[in-house]
Every structure is written in structure tokens, then in C-alpha cells.
Amino acid sequence: MSEDLERLNRRVSAARAETEGRGETFYPGASRIHLAAFPPRERWDDWVELDSRAWPKRKEKRYMLVPTTCFNCESACGLLAYVDRETLQVRKFEGNPEHPGSRGRNCAKGPATLNQITDPDRILQPLKRAGERGEGKWLQVSWDDALDDIAGRIRKAIGDGRENEVMYHVGRPGEDGYTERVLAAWGVDGHNSHTNICSSGGRAGYQYWMGLDRPSPDHANARVIFLISSHLEAGHYFNPHAQRVIEAKQNGAKLIVVDVRLSNTATHADHWLAPHPGSEAAMLLAIARHLVETGSHNREFVRRWWNWQEFLVRERADLEPTFEDFERAFLELYKEFTFEYAEAESGIPSATLREIAGLVASAGTRFSSHNWRSAAAGNLGGWQVSRCLFLLNALLGAVAVEGGVYPNAWNKFVPRPIHVPPHPKKWNRLTWPEQYPLAMNEMSFLLPQLMEDARAHLDVYFTRVYNPVWTNPNGFAWIELLTDPEKIGLHVALTPTWNESAYFADYVLPMGHGSERHDIHSYETHDAQWVGFRQPVLRAARERLGEKVADTREVNPGQVWEENEFWVELSWRIDPDGSMGIRQYFESRREPGTKLTVDEYYSFIFENSVPGLPERAAAEGLTPLQYMRRSGAFEVARKLGPLHEQEVPEAELEDTQTDALGRVFTRAPRPAGPNVVPLPTPPPDADGRRPVGVDLEGGVKRGFPTPSGRLEFYSSTLAEWGWPEYAVPAYIRSHVHPKNLEPGQMVLIPTFRLPTQIHTRSANAKWLDEIAHTNPLWIHPSDATRLGGLKTGDLVRVETEIGYFVVKAWVTEGIRPGVVACSHHMGRWKLHDNGQRQLMATVSLEHQERSWQIKRKKGVGPYASSDPDTGRIWWTDAGVHQNLTFPVHPDPISGQHCWHQAVRVTRAGPGDAYGDVWADAGRGEEVYRRWLDLTRSALRVSPDGNRRPYWLLRPLKPGLDSYRLTDQEVAGVAPAKPRRRR
Ligand code: SF4
């Protein structure tokens, strides 16, 4: 036995003895969880269970347990596939105890992966459109034919200098960086995402504070937890966070939940606040003011780590540059934010807010908080909600300490892949238009409008696990876009299951579910860094039995492929002889001139880029790849602590210069390696120096990746890029603020998830469909009475700015009066009987000019298939699709679509039927123009001639040169491209 393994065993034995001494049991894997129910890893090759179906006979079933990762939400929890050794079929999925984030636990959607892979309606073959787009006629084609066709078009577009006509639009990425690498290799700035309909509002608030756009709350060790989201049922990093919130509660932590609905999370709260939607920042600023007024803030932390001096220099030159004067300035700045003012804005009594403020103050540095979608995704200015929430952490010093909130990069590990291509050279204005220079992510949901304005054409448009027709606001404008051959040359839908947008595609290519594909990922679930490995479990099982599998299609059902192999193959066909410079990034290093395999791709990463993994694998006599195929996850580090306090080593301090506010710049090259605090990414200045840290009382500390290196209470970026009034955390009145509502209007909250469904991929999960298959409108009894005595089940018509939908009422006290709510996880539809049949209603779709209507023809019902359970479907409902009736509401700063709607709710009329949806896409254009008027274009406000601050995060960042606004653009004469016909 090697020394390492002996040491590991000694540690495990000691930990086991300790926990068993307390009468607990202990799983020795990375989860360190006190559960005995997990099969020990050394028995995963041959695990025996009794066959429940054979009862009362005692019949043994033998399994190989193969780890993979759930693909059903962003949490990427570990799964263990139980592969029947006799049939080599997956029998069930359970949690993977080796996974440090999920620790052997899953929500209902994890085990339901089994439904997805055995769904009788799933897409099993590559399909090519045979009729008109949307007509529902398809031909089976070979992968070869599809690849050649798509590759030929991409090759021509790149060869013609039309790189920006190639776009990849992703919904659930479920991986870290693989596809960005592909696009960079092609030299295409074609990455588009769903983030601006999801989390850009949440992200922007964190970005301006920390230079990183996500928080990593250490819920498990907190004394007080403050959630502006529904973490215990569906929040970001749902299962990993939910279990840690509950752990903290068991240890006595207090839970504050802000939600206009009595969500499952709110039912677990010690304090549930249901304010007027959009008023959250006002409440938070009142609490912040109270902390400073009462001296409850962490003065030393604020003094050391805030950029308060920059604030004084820039905004209060009248004051002395002392910390005491800053505290005075802070109180002056927020003097109107009394508890009484916050009560007037939010409707929450001032006494309650005072009590909450006292509780927050009592947490000290053990204060964890999180705001992700929720208010940040619902309101104009919602990004200030997460900024004001983090203000409380920053005041308490609850940043990167036990029980506090870490910057996500402290708790996430992204290894360097084999072959790193350079940045694309051309900027794509269809995704990053100059009107939104500070947008956190691509202005994805505006693609129909931006393409119309630019008279643009996309020659190849990939949608990948993305369903814009159903998910985005003004989905009818998306149907118009996807059916217009002048705008979309070829739409390729990469999807594991049918969806509303795939019906309008030219190719539908079947991609694998979570147990049918490779990916790696790492998420900030707690104060640790880990890497998770998703893999095709039947491939791994066969390889354990000594078989060779060269291509995932050999083990997946039908012709289902995985994307990793698909992109390598497509890239080779784009550049078959390597003359375009693309192929080199998809070639083997072991055998030059041959294709890179997934084995080599991941072997390289695990052998070279994940510290500790090679040693750990060797201790078990495995290669790093074998180890990951056996364990599914690896914990790189635990308890990272306050990395911003790290001293910068001498080797990195070469010929330094320090500016007046303490930012230190170096000429030393950027070091490679793990656990290095990310730094902002401006290119070296004219003297060749880059920021490296902060001069803090004589030493150079790593600091934060912001322009100042400190936590930025004051954002010079916002001040210089046209928004000086929001340079500090502020309260922006929402578009659904009472003053902006017309008499009789209510606020619709359309953003909440159902815990047992996924946006667009779970309609083929029969267990989930049985649990959740409808989305009634939550309405308070007082409103129900006012609207003529509505009762649960009555039909109501909900009118938005551009249309209406007809839905059932659910009268409940679990919602704030004046507000209604409807989950966006329902209302799936199809135009033809074929396709998905378990949770998609069949509808008619008609339009006159831009006025569109959907009427339900048939609900869900039993049907015969290879799965006998489909004959037992007892539900008929599939919910109502509300997003079609929403206009786009792009926040002028974060770019987030502001989901909340001012609506009129009435009892349905005689002509109305359940599931009716009507909207005028043309009216949607008018609303878009109104919101566009709120923007401050880079053409007007850019302080440096760039279209965007270079330091702000951007997936697939193009080269610095492409950031420059061209003279033509500045002069406002950028030529519109002529449209072309296919
Ligand atoms: S929270 Fe549920 S759906 Fe999300 S990854 Fe974990 S098991 Fe899957």
C-alpha cells in the first residue's frame, strides 16, 4: 500500500472513530456526510440489491454503479447510475456521495433522469425539415449528411468574412468552457446565452462590488441567512444550498426570506417579508443605514477593504479624506432611507424592519445572503437589489469568512483545457449592441428586434438546450424570426427532447441527457473548490468490462450523440485540411494529425490542470481519468478563506507602481495555476504593467478583481459610463412601482419555478409531470372578492401590455394583496400530435399580420407506447404559456429582461377558453422602443472610445481591438447589411 493511501486510510479511520464515538455513521468520501445508506465506493463494481419486483421472493440484482452529473439544473449534483450487470441498462439514479457539492443528495429531478433517457417520445435520429418551417414534416438523415451540410455553410461564412453570421445560442450550459473554446477556435464571436432572461440582474449587483458576478454564500455556517429568492425549493444551486440552509437552521441560524409569495422557502423562514415587488432595495438601504447609524458595522473591515477613499475623492472633495468623514457622508447619502420611508415603499411595517435590522446586526460576520433571480430579474433596476443586499455583507465584514459570502471564483475551479485558441477578432453587435455597454451578458432576448434594426442575417443559427419561442418574452416575434429565411439561413436545434423552437428548425439533432455525455463543471456551492465529471454511463460501464468504445453513439440509444464529439467532428469538417487554422485545436497531441478524442481531452485536463488529482488517483493505482470515471468528482481544496488577504509573492512584484489610491501594478507576467485570485483583465498599460494587488498598510494584498482592487462601494465604471447617479448602491423605482401602475392594474410575478420541473426539458419526465402539471394564477382572497367573488378553478383573463392569456385562479392567502403570480414552468405546447405527449398540449396557431393567437385543441391524455405508464396518464392539464404575452423589458444597465408585468385581471368572458393566448408582436415592438429610449449608448457615453469596459466579464471575450468603436459607428453611419435569400 502506498504511503498516500495509508495516510488517507488513517484519516478516514480517525474521522470514522470520531463520528462513531458520537453515535453517528460516516461516509468516507468527499461529502463527509453522516449517512450510512450509500454503497461504499470499493463495492461499486458489483453492488447487490434485492429486486423489489420479485417480492416476496428473494432475488438478487447486481449492479455496476457509475457516477455522472445531473443536467437538469445549474447545480450539477452528482448522480450514481445503477447499471444492471445482466442487461447493461440503467435501472435507476441515486445521489453520488463522492460529490462535495451535493453530498449524495438530489432533488426529484435528479432521479427523474431515468424518465428522460427512457422517454418513448424522445428524439433518437438526426432529422431534417421536409416541409415548411413549423409544418411538422421531417426526414431522418445521417449524421454525415447533416454535418457536411452545416460544416459547408460555416466554412463558407468564415471564408467570406461573415463570421458574425454564425451563432450558437445556449440555454442550460451545464459545462465550463468547452463550447466557448470551440467558437474561439472558429474565430467566431457567436456565443449567445439565456443569461439576460435569467440572472444578469442578480449578477450585475455583485459584479460592481467584487469584480465577480456571483456570490458563494456559506449558508451552513451562518448565524443569520437572508434570502431574496426561493432557495429551499428551486433557487440557484438549489439542492446543494438548500441542504446547507437547513443544516444552519438545525444549528440555530435564523432565516429571513423576502418573497411576495409564501414559497416553500418562506414557509421555513423565521421572518417572511412580502413587500411590494421592486421595493426590496429600499428596505435593504434602511437596514444598511441603521447598521452604520448604530455603529453595528464592522468598521475595520470597511476601512481596509472598501474603496471609500475613491468615493470621497470623486464625490465629496469638500470633506477630509478620513474614514470618519466617509461614515458621515454615508449617513448623509442615505438619510432619506428611514424605516418609515422603507415602510411607505414596501408596505412592511417599520417596526418589523427595525427588528430585522437588529437580527442582521447580531449576525456579525456570520451573515450569508443570496439574491439571484427573484427581485433582481423582475424589476427595472433590479440589479440594485443584489447590490444593496451585498452592501449588508460588506458592512458586516461578512465577506469570504466562515458563515459569510465569498466571491464565486474563490469557490470555483475551472481547469485549463488542452489547446487554448486566441480570442475572436470581430465584435458581434447582434449580441453586444452599443446601446447596452454595461450589459452583463448577451442581449439575447432582443435578437428579433436587433436583427430587424440591423437588417441582419444569420447563416447558421444553433439553438442548444434552448427554447426561445417558449422561454423568451414576445415569443411570437421569435416565431416570426425563425420562419423568415431572409433572417435565418439554417437553424440547427441541438436538443435532447422536442421543444417549441425545435419545431421551427431545419435540423433537429439528438443530444444526450446527463448520463449520455461528457462535461466538466465546478460551481460555488460552499467554501471549497471541486470539479465534477459528467460521463456517458453506459460507455464507462462497458469500459469497466474491458470493452473499447470509440464513439458515444455506440452506447447511447438510437443515434443520440454527445456534444463534445459532435463539435470535434464538425470542426474537422469545417477545416478538413487544416488550412483555416481551425483543425489544430481539435487534433490529438499524442497522435498528431488525428482527431482529439474525449479521453485525451479529459486526460489532459485531469493530468495537468487539477492539482492533487494525479496524486490521489495514483494512490489508488488509477490514472486521473480512471479516477474521475470511478468517482465522478474531485475536491480540489476546502476552506479557501479570505483569498483577497493573501500577500502577493515577491516574484509577481516586478518593477511595480502604486497609484494614489493604493492599486499596485506590475510588469511581471500573470502567473498560471490554481487558487490564484482572479485579477481584472485590462491589457497592460503603455508601460506594460497590469494590476496585481492592493497596497494595504505596507504589504501588497491580492484584493478583489475590481478596477480599484477593493470592494467597490463606489463604481467609477458606472460613473464614467453614463450612470453617475448609480455609482453607489441605490434604490431604483421599478416599472411596477405603485406610482407606475394605472388604476385597476395589479403586478404579475411570472418568474417562479416549480421545484419539480425544469424550464423546457422535463416535459418528458413522467414522474415529474405527475407531480406538477399546471400553473394556476395565485390571487389573494381580498382581490378575488374585489373581482366579483372569484373562486379557485374559475377562469380569469390576464391582460398585459401586448396581449392576454386565460388561466385558472388559485385563491390563496399565500400572496400579497394586489399581486398575482403564475409559474413559468408550464404551458408547453405543440402544433402536431407527434412529438412530446406527456406535458405538451396540442394547439392551433394562427395569425393576422403580427397579431397571433394560440388555442388549445387537445390536452394531455393516455397513449400507447413502449412504456406502459403512458397508458396510465390521468392528467389532462399542461398549464398555460404566459411568456408569449410579455413584451421585452431590457434593463438599460444590466441588460436583464425585467419580467414583472403590470396587468389587468378579470373574470374570463364567454368567448374565452382555458389556455387561450393572444398577443400583438407589433405592439411588442413599441414597448421595446420605449425601453430602448432609457439606454445610454456607448456611442454617447464611452469615456475611452470602447464599446464596453474591458474589465467587465464577458463569456468568450473578443480581442481588445474589437472593443474600439469604429469611426463609422461613432458617426452613426454603420452600413446596414443587405438581406440575402438562400
Ligand atoms: S438540484 Fe436537482 S435538478 Fe438540480 S442538479 Fe441537483 S438533482 Fe439535478
Side-chain angles (χ1 to χ4, degrees):
M1 190 184 293
S2 75
E3 253 180 52
D4 280 350
L5 190 54
E6 268 183 53
R7 211 175 311 123
L8 178 70
N9 283 344
R10 274 202 302 277
R11 274 214 330 262
V12 167
S13 304
R16 181 177 285 141
E18 185 199 330
T19 49
E20 284 176 353
R22 295 201 301 263
E24 298 164 354
T25 50
F26 174 79
Y27 181 83
S31 61
R32 295 178 186 82
I33 205 159
H34 299 158
L35 288 176
F38 298 117
R41 194 163 67 97
E42 59 274 15
R43 290 172 56 196
W44 285 8
D45 274 348
D46 191 9
W47 177 248
V48 181
E49 288 190 352
L50 295 182
D51 186 351
S52 56
R53 288 187 192 155
W55 191 86
K57 279 197 192 143
R58 185 188 161 85
K59 183 179 169 199
E60 290 189 346
K61 293 288 278 183
R62 308 189 88 87
Y63 297 102
M64 236 186 297
L65 308 191
V66 186
T68 188
T69 306
C70 182
F71 193 36
N72 282 338
C73 86
E74 65 283 2
S75 306
C77 298
L79 292 176
L80 264 190
Y82 282 58
V83 179
D84 190 317
R85 290 183 68 94
E86 233 172 81
T87 62
L88 283 184
Q89 298 291 313
V90 180
R91 184 80 183 263
K92 62 176 175 177
F93 289 94
E94 294 199 350
N96 176 8
E98 292 291 320
H99 195 291
S102 55
R103 304 188 292 186
R105 293 155 169 156
N106 297 115
C107 79
K109 303 184 288 275
T113 302
L114 186 66
N115 297 164
Q116 296 172 307
I117 62 172
T118 57
D119 164 31
D121 295 336
R122 71 179 293 189
I123 307 159
L124 291 174
Q125 308 291 338
L127 299 174
K128 186 175 184 181
R129 174 172 61 85
E132 292 297 309
R133 286 178 180 164
E135 208 181 328
K137 294 186 179 155
W138 301 95
L139 278 179
Q140 278 187 20
V141 290
S142 69
W143 274 107
D144 275 336
D145 287 349
L147 283 161
D148 282 341
D149 187 11
I150 300 163
R153 291 185 83 124
I154 296 174
R155 179 169 58 246
K156 182 150 182 14
I158 295 173
D160 291 352
R162 293 182 285 113
E163 296 92 336
N164 284 350
E165 292 191 10
V166 178
M167 184 177 285
Y168 161 83
H169 204 156
V170 61
R172 168 64 43 233
E175 50 110 347
D176 276 335
Y178 187 99
T179 321
E180 281 98 322
R181 198 187 75 90
V182 172
L183 294 166
W186 297 355
V188 166
D189 185 20
H191 187 275
N192 207 344
S193 69
H194 75 290
T195 311
N196 264 334
I197 54 162
C198 176
S199 55
S200 284
R203 286 169 191 258
Y206 293 109
Q207 168 95 64
Y208 288 116
W209 265 113
M210 303 190 280
L212 294 162
D213 64 350
R214 275 174 285 171
S216 175
D218 182 17
H219 291 313
N221 295 302
R223 201 176 287 142
V224 175
I225 301 172
F226 198 129
L227 301 178
I228 305 187
S229 94
S230 47
H231 262 71
L232 296 182
E233 62 198 277
H236 206 55
Y237 306 136
F238 163 34
N239 161 47
H241 274 180
Q243 56 180 273
R244 289 174 169 89
V245 171
I246 293 298
E247 202 172 303
K249 270 181 67 74
Q250 285 171 338
N251 292 332
K254 295 292 179 208
L255 178 61
I256 302 162
V257 173
V258 178
D259 197 330
V260 289
R261 272 183 328 121
L262 182 63
S263 58
N264 291 353
T265 310
T267 62
H268 286 69
D270 298 284
H271 298 270
W272 170 42
L273 310 182
H276 188 85
S279 63
E280 293 82 356
M283 300 192 308
L284 294 166
L285 289 177
I287 295 169
R289 179 179 175 277
H290 175 84
L291 292 180
V292 177
E293 200 172 44
T294 56
S296 314
H297 59 309
N298 186 332
R299 295 190 77 213
E300 186 56 6
F301 180 85
V302 174
R303 189 186 65 76
R304 293 182 77 232
W305 280 112
W306 285 32
N307 69 337
W308 56 269
Q309 284 168 304
E310 187 174 9
F311 167 75
L312 289 180
V313 168
R314 299 247 198 165
E315 298 286 318
R316 296 299 305 267
D318 56 313
L319 299 177
E320 290 295 316
T322 65
F323 185 63
E324 289 69 25
D325 268 20
F326 168 70
E327 288 176 312
R328 273 191 284 281
F330 183 97
L331 289 173
E332 279 175 35
L333 194 59
Y334 296 114
K335 64 176 181 295
E336 78 176 298
F337 289 92
T338 61
F339 290 125
E340 290 68 30
Y341 173 81
E343 174 179 340
E345 289 297 295
S346 67
I348 304 294
S350 58
T352 305
L353 292 172
R354 192 179 294 278
E355 188 187 344
I356 296 294
L359 192 55
V360 169
S362 74
T365 57
R366 290 185 181 271
F367 177 74
S368 77
S369 63
H370 205 166
N371 171 220
W372 200 238
R373 300 182 190 96
S374 185
N379 298 287
L380 173 69
W383 61 279
Q384 286 277 19
V385 176
S386 52
R387 198 175 184 206
C388 291
L389 183 59
F390 192 77
L391 169 63
L392 303 186
N393 281 85
L395 279 169
L396 294 170
V399 179
V401 290
E402 200 164 73
V405 173
Y406 291 72
N408 77 311
W410 275 224
N411 294 160
K412 180 177 168 81
F413 184 80
V414 182
R416 190 178 167 83
I418 190 171
H419 303 313
V420 181
H423 303 260
K425 292 193 173 59
K426 274 191 193 165
W427 187 277
N428 196 332
R429 296 168 70 208
L430 288 180
T431 39
W432 298 91
E434 55 274 10
Q435 292 92 339
Y436 298 90
L438 304 179
M440 277 295 106
N441 281 82
E442 299 91 346
M443 296 306 299
S444 58
F445 61 98
L446 297 186
L447 191 64
Q449 291 78 18
L450 295 170
M451 286 190 68
E452 182 62 30
D453 289 353
R455 297 177 55 76
H457 172 83
L458 286 175
D459 208 40
V460 180
Y461 177 60
F462 292 99
T463 47
R464 185 277 197 169
V465 195
Y466 189 51
N467 184 5
V469 168
W470 184 79
T471 310
N472 283 344
N474 202 357
F476 290 130
W478 280 85
I479 296 178
E480 293 171 349
L481 173 69
L482 295 179
T483 52
D484 183 348
E486 288 189 23
K487 288 183 178 157
I488 303 290
L490 186 77
H491 173 196
V492 182
L494 306 174
T495 176
T497 185
W498 281 107
N499 66 52
E500 287 77 354
S501 307
Y503 290 124
F504 297 99
D506 300 299
Y507 280 109
V508 176
L509 302 182
M511 292 297 166
H513 285 292
S515 58
E516 299 167 338
R517 49 183 294 131
H518 288 93
D519 293 302
I520 51 169
H521 31 235
S522 174
Y523 300 118
E524 57 280 6
T525 53
H526 61 297
D527 183 21
Q529 291 181 335
W530 53 263
V531 176
F533 188 40
R534 183 176 292 131
Q535 62 177 336
V537 296
L538 295 182
R539 173 183 173 141
R542 284 179 184 276
E543 286 175 348
R544 271 197 218 173
L545 294 173
E547 288 181 37
K548 279 234 169 300
V549 179
D551 183 310
T552 317
R553 285 172 293 183
E554 293 169 25
V555 294
N556 280 345
Q559 282 289 299
V560 170
W561 211 357
E562 68 163 317
E563 283 162 43
N564 284 186
E565 289 170 348
F566 166 79
W567 292 119
V568 172
E569 186 61 42
L570 183 63
S571 301
W572 268 68
R573 292 185 193 222
I574 293 170
D575 183 17
D577 58 6
S579 60
M580 298 170 78
I582 293 173
R583 208 186 85 173
Q584 58 181 314
Y585 301 111
F586 304 92
E587 281 184 20
S588 166
R589 279 195 188 165
R590 291 178 187 160
E591 293 179 58
T594 64
K595 277 177 204 154
L596 181 65
T597 63
V598 282
D599 268 7
E600 184 179 345
Y601 180 81
Y602 290 108
S603 289
F604 177 91
I605 289 174
F606 297 148
E607 286 166 17
N608 299 289
S609 307
V610 183
L613 176 53
E615 295 77 12
R616 176 66 187 268
E620 296 191 19
L622 300 171
T623 66
L625 178 62
Q626 285 170 335
Y627 180 89
M628 291 302 278
R629 290 214 185 279
R630 294 265 166 173
S631 294
F634 179 71
E635 188 176 66
V636 179
R638 308 179 67 209
K639 299 215 170 290
L640 278 296
L643 295 186
H644 57 282
E645 292 275 12
Q646 274 183 0
E647 295 277 347
V648 178
E650 270 305 311
E652 289 181 48
L653 298 175
E654 185 185 311
D655 190 14
T656 57
Q657 255 186 16
T658 304
D659 71 13
L661 295 168
R663 191 62 160 138
V664 180
F665 298 82
T666 183
R667 248 193 251 279
R670 188 181 296 275
N675 298 351
V676 173
V677 179
L679 290 165
T681 53
D685 60 18
D687 289 335
R689 291 191 180 85
R690 62 178 178 82
V692 68
V694 181
D695 186 353
L696 208 61
E697 286 137 16
V700 181
K701 307 277 189 187
R702 286 277 183 211
F704 297 88
T706 54
S708 68
R710 290 181 158 84
L711 289 176
E712 295 208 337
F713 167 72
Y714 173 82
S715 169
S716 57
T717 305
L718 283 160
E720 289 168 3
W721 283 78
W723 297 96
E725 65 271 46
Y726 300 139
V728 297
Y731 169 46
I732 299 174
R733 280 190 168 149
S734 167
H735 63 300
V736 293
H737 186 275
K739 292 203 164 110
N740 293 327
L741 296 181
E742 293 167 11
Q745 279 189 326
M746 302 177 79
V747 181
L748 169 65
I749 307 296
T751 42
F752 70 95
R753 289 172 162 188
L754 296 172
T756 48
Q757 291 286 358
I758 308 135
H759 302 281
T760 193
R761 291 195 307 297
S762 52
N764 64 341
K766 62 187 179 189
W767 298 336
L768 305 179
D769 298 342
E770 183 165 22
I771 297 168
H773 45 255
T774 190
N775 60 343
L777 189 78
W778 297 40
I779 186 164
H780 192 268
S782 59
D783 292 316
T785 304
R786 179 174 56 79
L787 293 170
L790 285 177
K791 296 198 178 48
T792 292
D794 286 352
L795 286 189
V796 289
R797 183 194 263 233
V798 182
E799 279 181 40
T800 67
E801 286 162 285
I802 66 166
Y804 68 83
F805 60 97
V806 179
V807 68
K808 288 174 197 154
W810 183 44
V811 181
T812 170
E813 297 206 359
I815 185 98
R816 184 182 169 80
V819 180
V820 288
C822 187
S823 169
H824 67 281
H825 269 175
M826 286 291 150
R828 305 295 310 282
W829 52 266
K830 59 189 188 325
L831 298 174
H832 311 283
D833 272 344
N834 56 356
Q836 225 306 315
R837 288 173 284 178
Q838 294 165 28
L839 200 65
M840 291 175 94
T842 310
V843 302
S844 65
L845 172 69
E846 285 170 8
H847 72 108
Q848 285 189 333
E849 299 295 325
R850 305 202 66 191
S851 163
W852 290 80
Q853 184 166 50
I854 275 183
K855 278 202 166 282
R856 209 163 93 131
K857 292 201 303 202
K858 202 166 85 179
V860 174
Y863 63 98
S865 77
S866 56
D867 179 356
D869 274 353
T870 62
R872 302 179 186 116
I873 289 175
W874 54 265
W875 59 95
T876 57
D877 204 351
V880 180
H881 187 192
Q882 54 179 336
N883 292 7
L884 286 168
T885 69
F886 302 160
V888 297
H889 289 158
D891 184 275
I893 298 176
S894 69
Q896 166 78 48
H897 170 61
C898 306
W899 279 102
H900 293 351
Q901 306 286 321
V903 295
R904 291 182 195 282
V905 180
T906 54
R907 189 183 282 281
D912 289 333
Y914 180 62
D916 282 359
V917 176
W918 176 86
D920 184 333
R923 273 197 226 162
E925 296 299 321
E926 291 163 23
V927 179
Y928 159 64
R929 301 268 162 228
R930 281 210 306 276
W931 282 69
L932 192 61
D933 284 347
L934 303 177
T935 60
R936 296 177 190 170
S937 167
L939 296 174
R940 282 193 292 125
V941 302
S942 173
D944 58 5
N946 282 347
R947 51 185 86 241
R948 175 179 176 79
Y950 192 79
W951 78 273
L952 282 185
L953 297 175
R954 226 205 95 162
L956 188 60
K957 215 164 188 168
L960 178 62
D961 286 348
S962 72
Y963 273 68
R964 301 295 300 173
L965 289 161
T966 64
D967 292 343
Q968 270 187 329
E969 286 166 342
V970 173
V973 292
K977 285 190 207 154
R979 290 206 194 132
R980 73 198 67 199
R981 291 196 174 272
R982 281 188 302 178

